[in-house]
Amino acid sequence: MSTGQGGPTDLPDLRLAGFATACWLAALAVVYGSVSRGVALIVGGVTVAVGLVVGMSIISRARRRPPGGADGRWSYGDPPGGADGRWSGRAWWRRTRRFGWIAVALAIGVVCGSAAATAQVAVRDARALAGLVDTHAAVTVDLVVRDDPRQIRSAVAGPALWLVATRLVVVRPADAGSRQPATAPDQGNDAAKGAAATGRFGIGVRLLVLGTSGGWAGLLPGQQIRVDGRLMPPRGGDLTAAVLSTDAEPVPHGRPSLAQRAAGALRAGLQRACAELADEPGGLLPGLVVGDTSRLDPGVEEDFRATGLTHLVAVSGSNVAIIVGFVLLLVRWCRAGPGLAAAACTVALVGFVILARPSPSVVRAGLMGAIALLALATGRQRAALPALATTVAVLVMIDPQLAVDAGFALSVLATGGLLLLAPRWREALVARGVPQGVADALVIPAAAQFACTPVVAGLSGTVSLVAVPANLLAVPAIAPATVCGVAAAVLSVVWPAGAEFVAWAGHWPAWWLVLVARHGAATPAGALPWPDGAAGALSLAALSVAVLLLARHGLTRRLLAVVAVGAVIGALPVRLVAPGWPPAGWVVAVCAVGQGDVVVLPAGPRTAVVVDAGPDPAAADRCLRRLRIRSVSLLVVSHFHADHVAGVAGVLRHRQVGAVATTGWPEPSAGRDAVRLAAARAGVAVGAVPAGWTYRYGPVELVVLGPVEPFVGTRSDPNNNSLMLLATVRGVRVMLTGDAEHESQRALLERFGPAGLRADVLKVAHHGSALQEVAFLDAVDPAVAVVPVGVGNRYGHPDPGVLTRLAAGGARVLRTDLDGDLAVIRRDGQLAVSTRSLDATDGSPGR
């Protein structure tokens, strides 16, 4: 771009980018706010836009009207070099006009984003539904499924839990099917009463379903269903108007669209083709191809998250680019022209959207891929950036929910990084003698990761040091795995045997990705802490922009490189020698895994005895990773409720486990069978242990104190038949009580007396419930009492009276829901407590 007499400038046209950014941020502010905030932003945006346009118009007219003189020139003051003043005046006006229109675009973006989001928020907060939500009313609803149902809790000692995103079509009071319509709850608003009189609400809002019926598993997006349930308030922060909790079977009405049925058939065929493969690569391959993570091993998922590879198992523009790129190579090999190449790529793009399922996230990824097609068809790479900005603005105005979607942010930033950063970095490397193919392999993952890092840091509270190397190592395997997976899905419809062979070929690159993620996650000090939330993301984004600006100059670029290398060299030894967690001298740790127990006793270097496994395999695995435990000499299962056994697979994952000791009480049978099955898969022996059984490994000594006899007919026989253990670690006595209640605690007190139960540390039974024997607590008389409990659990745990009693006895009481991970330390003969707060704890319900 030329400035006429002023010379060239490299400033890009930022109007569309500014419009899209303002639209996005305004929608974000309104979704997190209310209708009144949206109205205020609309009025403010219109006022600013009109003021700017009027101001620039006045200046433009004044510029053409000279204040006096015969020559008709407008005097702008003395120019820096020259006497007539023409150059400086024109340059000033061009700059003013340019930045003025950018400001107008920003104001219009605020208006558009606010208007779109305000309309949706008004629907979300509709008073007609608010009365039913506030009173947790029982209703019958007609819904349209918006995305694939996701299983968020496995069926261990209880029903599976499904999470389903839906659109609400009609809601009726639960008995509205009878002859007399039910009356809506009297909330004092006429809208709710008028709707209740007809027995129907025609609303069309977003509703999230939490269902335990297996009937949710087979539903497809676009399918209409009817189900009974109870309305609950949403968590907030998005456009969800209500949560429907239901145990009922959904009743489908009609059939999904042809595209959805075709997608379902292809996805099911891909899963069948991968069924005989090893669990880890076989579960990963459908995730790489179409984002289907239903069989993805939780350990692989956690490793991908730790190494910055999570984007590979979410349908994004990179999936589209791989498929379109493969088709483009074939077409060019056939010597086709640009028009035919673009047409073939368009067909491949549409086919991939159907295969991956035309849900909002897939359509979004398809549009991001279409940006590359635009650049291909026009032959202008610079056309891609305005296309990206236009796409972002249109998508946000169509669906303001995307403004709060982290996946959308990552997709946009990754695409922007590839468009803005990758070409410059590639040219710089090629200019320094790096082959172009090698340069592309280096800069593509680096640019995408650099652009996404602020959002990832805001979500996780860490900055990964292994993300870029891991992505570089993953590059050679991504395209072969994706192409083989797509081919297997297509072949599964016409040639199942051929699909299985192609899937087998694709599982080898998938296995390489599993290895990269596993070793990357195990790298010591692989992630550095960073503030989480919006503040952390914005601060890192500002730092990233500053680094890019400074790196444009040779001297500052060298200084930045020296500072970065010095920081890494200085920080890594500290992180390796004194990592902070677990603390030195720890004798017992209790992990924050939600509403469940995971207690860890150190038995040697990177070795431990683990008591219970919590409600979730991923949470149990993360707990042991944080403690750097690589082998488990003994896993003790106190009883078979889900909040103690559902995470057993996470303890066994990639660790050498000596044996599993369990209670002799066989109920609930689903939990018992799950433990046996997980242990059998890992080749670990399982056996029940009686009262009086002892175990010693390294500094850990365990004695099974109870149950002293089988308890039958109590409020909860599985709880009262929990194993009750007395552990001694380096002279510190730790009482581990499972979920034992009054009967079991009283029997233990009668058998051993107060002197036999004295302990330094007490793991309070049953998440601190009120079902404690006061005399038992007094007999243990701990210096430290720890309560494993989930945040906001629905059982009211822990009981305030129990906590008060323990504190009055001199115990320091800590809770995992408030304090995070807990570790008791022995130093110089004294006990101390160290905590590690977590960004979020798992909230899986226990029993």
Side-chain angles (χ1 to χ4, degrees), residues 58 146 157 314 433 715 734 772:
I58 292 173
R146 298 181 60 246
R715 193 201 71 87
V734 183
Q772 312 288 333

Side-chain angles (χ1 to χ4, degrees), residues 42-62:
I42 292 171
V43 172
V46 170
T47 302
V48 171
V50 171
L52 287 170
V53 171
V54 171
M56 286 192 297
S57 177
I58 292 173
I59 295 174
S60 179
R61 286 198 299 269

Side-chain angles (χ1 to χ4, degrees), residues 596-654:
D597 288 13
V598 176
V599 180
V600 186
L601 307 171
R606 302 187 183 275
T607 303
V609 172
V610 179
V611 181
D612 288 325
D616 177 61
D621 186 29
R622 287 194 297 266
C623 160
L624 297 180
R625 286 174 185 249
R626 292 193 293 268
L627 293 168
R628 294 173 173 78
I629 301 302
R630 293 185 178 177
S631 64
V632 176
S633 61
L634 178 70
L635 169 61
V636 180
V637 174
S638 65
H639 64 297
F640 294 119
H641 274 156
D643 55 335
H644 293 254
V645 304
V648 164
V651 176
L652 301 174
R653 185 177 299 142
H654 308 317

Side-chain angles (χ1 to χ4, degrees), residues 503-560:
W504 173 84
H507 103 285
W508 291 107
W511 182 256
W512 169 252
L513 295 175
V514 171
L515 292 179
V516 169
R518 180 181 302 170
H519 291 289
T523 302
L528 297 178
W530 189 267
D532 62 343
L538 291 175
S539 61
L540 187 57
L543 179 62
S544 300
V545 172
V547 168
L548 287 176
L549 293 176
L550 292 174
R552 298 175 65 184
H553 307 285
L555 177 60
T556 54
R557 183 165 56 245
R558 295 184 183 93
L559 289 175
L560 283 173

Side-chain angles (χ1 to χ4, degrees), residues 152-153 593-596 615-616 643 790-791 793 795 841-846:
I152 59 175
R153 187 182 69 198
V593 294
Q595 184 74 358
D616 177 61
D643 55 335
V791 176
N793 66 88
Y795 308 101
T841 54
D842 304 284
S844 306

Side-chain angles (χ1 to χ4, degrees), residues 825-847:
I825 310 163
R826 181 182 174 90
R827 289 178 182 167
D828 301 325
Q830 302 294 321
L831 293 184
V833 177
S834 178
T835 64
R836 180 186 184 277
S837 59
L838 302 179
D839 299 328
T841 54
D842 304 284
S844 306
R847 301 184 75 178

Side-chain angles (χ1 to χ4, degrees), residues 39-218:
V39 172
L41 286 174
I42 292 171
V43 172
V46 170
T47 302
V48 171
V50 171
L52 287 170
V53 171
V54 171
M56 286 192 297
S57 177
I58 292 173
I59 295 174
S60 179
R61 286 198 299 269
R63 179 177 178 271
R64 295 186 179 92
R65 185 175 62 250
D71 59 357
R73 294 181 185 173
W74 174 263
S75 176
Y76 297 101
D78 293 334
D84 60 0
R86 288 182 180 177
W87 181 87
S88 62
R90 291 176 179 176
W92 174 86
W93 169 242
R94 285 176 176 171
R95 290 190 180 94
T96 301
R97 185 173 57 185
R98 179 172 190 167
F99 289 111
W101 282 116
I102 291 174
V104 171
L106 289 171
I108 295 175
V110 169
V111 173
C112 293
S114 301
T118 300
Q120 293 291 323
V121 170
V123 174
R124 179 193 70 185
D125 300 337
R127 297 178 64 194
L129 188 63
L132 297 179
V133 173
D134 291 343
T135 57
H136 299 182
V139 294
T140 299
V141 293
D142 289 349
L143 307 170
V144 175
V145 178
R146 298 181 60 246
D147 210 341
D148 290 293
R150 292 193 297 117
Q151 186 175 349
I152 59 175
R153 187 182 69 198
S154 60
V156 177
L161 184 63
W162 293 87
L163 181 69
V164 192
T166 67
R167 177 173 58 85
L168 180 60
V169 179
V170 173
V171 56
R172 309 174 184 85
D175 55 347
S178 62
R179 294 184 178 180
Q180 296 297 327
T183 301
D186 185 4
Q187 294 295 314
N189 64 76
D190 296 335
K193 292 179 180 178
T198 66
R200 298 169 61 92
F201 293 96
I203 294 177
V205 299
R206 298 171 192 257
L207 187 142
L208 200 62
V209 177
L210 291 175
T212 56
S213 169
W216 297 103

